[in-house]
Amino acid sequence: MYDAPAYEAETDGVLVRVRPSYLAGQSDPEAGRWVWAYQVEIVNLTGEAIQLIARRWVITDAQGRVEEVRGEGVVGEQPVIKPGASYTYASGCPLGAPSGSMVGGYAMTDASGRSFEAAIPAFSLDVPGERRVLN
């Protein structure tokens, strides 16, 4: 499913890698609904444990509609990631247009109590085989 190239960003030793995938079986273009899944891998390249506390997403569709989503953790968890380890999860995003983009950040804390935001790289949501639109 996640055969698209990965989008990556690194902040303060935290690497965030995202692989989006179009879900044709859950999409209904005639009804104006396109759905994507995305897999996120968060790699701790630091020398201490980190914890993901919250998420912030900015979702923009090809029509210019923007939605900001904020919440605690990811998929119901606030994972602690040990040094050299990674945490992976999958989620999804419906759009009312055939393409769009997502970008955001994770609120993190490290073992010394320092808070910082790890960048989630901007990535494109495109229907395979369609003309690509820079969102």
Side-chain angles (χ1 to χ4, degrees), residues 4-87:
Y7 297 81
E8 295 183 349
E10 185 179 334
T11 309
D12 293 342
V14 178
L15 175 66
V16 178
R17 184 178 293 131
V18 182
R19 286 186 173 87
S21 181
Y22 178 63
L23 300 178
Q26 293 183 26
S27 297
D28 186 353
E30 291 182 10
R33 179 178 166 86
W34 291 264
V35 181
W36 284 264
Y38 54 89
Q39 180 185 52
V40 178
E41 180 183 18
I42 304 164
V43 183
N44 182 356
L45 303 173
T46 74
E48 60 185 331
I50 57 172
Q51 183 173 17
L52 189 156
I53 303 299
R55 70 189 180 285
R56 177 186 57 81
W57 287 103
V58 178
I59 305 162
T60 306
D61 73 16
Q63 305 302 318
R65 293 178 290 243
V66 178
E67 179 182 5
E68 186 166 357
V69 178
R70 294 179 178 268
E72 290 187 6
V74 290
V75 295
E77 298 181 8
Q78 291 181 314
V80 173
I81 308 167
K82 295 181 179 179
S86 65
Y87 174 82

